[in-house]
Amino acid sequence: MSATTSPLPRTGSRPGGRSARIRAAVHRAVEELLADETGELLTIPVVAARAGVHATTVYRRWGSVGELLTDVATSRFSGDIVVPDTGSLREDLERYASDLAKDLNDPDTLPLVRATIGTAGEQGASACTRERRQQLQAILEREQARGHQTPTVERVMDAVLAPLYYRAVFTDQALTPEWARTLVSHLLPD
Amino acid sequence: MSATTSPLPRTGSRPGGRSARIRAAVHRAVEELLADETGELLTIPVVAARAGVHATTVYRRWGSVGELLTDVATSRFSGDIVVPDTGSLREDLERYASDLAKDLNDPDTLPLVRATIGTAGEQGASACTRERRQQLQAILEREQARGHQTPTVERVMDAVLAPLYYRAVFTDQALTPEWARTLVSHLLPD
């Protein structure tokens, strides 16, 4: 799938540009429908109508609502958080945790995470968090390169990542930056 | 909604028994359809057809797929875990964590959790975990009644409950009883 965005005018003879435009329109339609919270089931005909494209175009390209949501989640949750590099493991993790709390508080985030989990199962769930593990791994490796011991990435996921996602997805409790930082102080006491 | 189960034969003149039978058939249909993993969207007509009841009956009683899944999740996740009472906070939490890991490993559990989150938003998510907080609170209160200090219930949710649900819902990693118990040893070091 091309991710090119083209400023050129619509023309049937430029499949790359047309394809990118369709993708953008369909992604935007999914995001708008999720934001509407009408409770209406997200189906391919509904998405296609909102995007102004033929349902067959959407079926041909994505196959199912689950695959479409996985694609939207992958692009939404890629590169959305800048991995901090402060020279201190504790400060990196504190910033990362509070940035992620902010991201999960964004009103557009949670409906997309929930819908993707609900319709695309494991593949969808992993599209929502795939980068998180790599980002934490990068933070830990920098600390190790500075000659310091670190917890394992699994431990950081259990102690920091998991409570952020659990609180966002399963509870109505607020994800405050202060609370996010206390997760790090429990992981790295003293 | 009546939860009575009746051994009496079907008869149109027993609305309580008939109502309970419809509820059981519809709940069973939802569970079977989720287990099928056909990727087919769960809609009220699909559920009604599988349950052998009229779609209007299902609409009248539950209103939407989200409300139906919330009802199924509430009855599935109520009373499913026996709260341990060993006389020791650590042992209670270790048993609780490994019982919950086992429950989340059940092949029927995760599709129901994911579908409920996906279609019923916050209300659905809370139906999956409502009892967990109360159960942890009960374990902590018994320890306090024995004259001991305990972590807060929020802390136990962050340290024990969240990693169990995060790993189940978002990753393909195994929820082993050993790993579940290490969550408790990180919470209660020594």
Side-chain angles (χ1 to χ4, degrees):
Chain A
M1 277 170 240
S2 165
T4 324
T5 56
S6 163
L8 293 170
R10 279 169 179 268
T11 146
S13 65
R14 303 188 63 87
R18 183 169 174 274
S19 169
R21 272 197 304 276
I22 289 175
R23 182 166 188 259
V26 169
H27 278 215
R28 197 164 50 241
V30 168
E31 285 161 355
E32 287 172 5
L33 288 164
L34 289 173
D36 281 357
E37 287 184 43
T38 56
E40 194 186 1
L41 274 186
L42 208 66
T43 62
I44 287 196
V46 168
V47 171
R50 169 73 72 120
V53 303
H54 286 293
T56 47
T57 306
V58 181
Y59 279 116
R60 208 177 315 124
R61 182 141 175 185
W62 286 279
S64 69
V65 171
E67 283 171 62
L68 171 56
L69 281 166
T70 300
D71 187 37
V72 174
T74 300
S75 65
R76 167 67 183 77
F77 299 118
S78 295
D80 57 334
I81 289 189
V82 177
V83 181
D85 184 9
T86 64
S88 143
L89 175 62
R90 179 184 304 272
E91 210 173 320
D92 280 359
L93 289 177
E94 284 178 351
R95 286 204 191 175
Y96 186 82
S98 64
D99 286 354
L100 182 54
K102 208 179 299 165
D103 196 48
L104 289 168
N105 273 333
D106 181 304
D108 292 344
T109 302
L110 200 49
L112 176 59
V113 171
R114 283 181 170 146
T116 307
I117 292 171
T119 53
E122 191 169 302
Q123 194 199 5
S126 106
C128 296
T129 57
R130 190 174 299 128
E131 272 207 351
R132 305 289 171 245
R133 188 191 170 94
Q134 296 158 11
Q135 291 167 333
L136 292 173
Q137 189 70 58
I139 291 175
L140 294 173
E141 282 168 8
R142 277 204 295 263
E143 179 75 355
Q144 289 154 9
R146 289 190 291 264
H148 300 138
Q149 294 236 317
T150 68
T152 63
V153 70
E154 276 76 23
R155 181 74 202 120
V156 182
M157 290 172 71
D158 289 344
V160 180
L161 212 54
L164 285 159
Y165 279 91
Y166 180 82
R167 193 174 268 211
V169 171
F170 286 99
T171 79
D172 57 0
Q173 290 181 282
L175 282 80
T176 64
E178 296 70 36
W179 165 75
R181 282 192 290 266
T182 66
L183 298 171
V184 177
S185 48
H186 284 292
L187 172 68
L188 306 173
D190 113 34
Chain B
M1 273 169 243
S2 165
T4 324
T5 56
S6 163
L8 293 170
R10 279 169 179 264
T11 145
S13 65
R14 303 188 62 87
R18 182 169 175 273
S19 168
R21 272 198 305 276
I22 288 175
R23 183 167 188 258
V26 169
H27 277 215
R28 198 165 49 243
V30 167
E31 285 161 354
E32 287 172 5
L33 287 164
L34 289 172
D36 280 357
E37 286 184 43
T38 55
E40 194 185 2
L41 274 185
L42 207 67
T43 62
I44 286 195
V46 167
V47 172
R50 170 73 72 122
V53 303
H54 285 294
T56 47
T57 305
V58 181
Y59 279 115
R60 209 178 313 125
R61 182 141 176 187
W62 286 278
S64 69
V65 171
E67 282 170 64
L68 172 56
L69 281 166
T70 300
D71 187 37
V72 174
T74 300
S75 66
R76 169 66 182 78
F77 299 118
S78 295
D80 57 334
I81 290 189
V82 177
V83 181
D85 185 8
T86 64
S88 143
L89 175 61
R90 178 184 304 272
E91 208 172 321
D92 280 359
L93 288 177
E94 284 178 350
R95 287 204 191 175
Y96 186 82
S98 66
D99 286 354
L100 183 54
K102 207 181 299 165
D103 196 48
L104 289 168
N105 273 333
D106 182 306
D108 292 343
T109 303
L110 201 49
L112 177 58
V113 171
R114 284 182 168 146
T116 307
I117 292 171
T119 52
E122 191 169 302
Q123 193 199 6
S126 105
C128 297
T129 57
R130 190 174 298 127
E131 273 208 350
R132 305 291 170 241
R133 187 192 171 93
Q134 296 159 11
Q135 291 167 333
L136 291 173
Q137 189 70 59
I139 292 175
L140 294 173
E141 281 169 8
R142 277 203 295 262
E143 179 75 355
Q144 289 154 11
R146 288 190 290 264
H148 299 138
Q149 294 237 316
T150 68
T152 62
V153 71
E154 277 75 24
R155 181 73 203 119
V156 182
M157 290 172 70
D158 290 344
V160 180
L161 211 54
L164 285 159
Y165 280 90
Y166 180 83
R167 193 174 266 210
V169 171
F170 286 99
T171 79
D172 57 1
Q173 290 181 281
L175 281 80
T176 64
E178 296 71 34
W179 165 76
R181 283 192 290 267
T182 66
L183 298 172
V184 177
S185 48
H186 284 291
L187 172 68
L188 305 172
D190 114 32

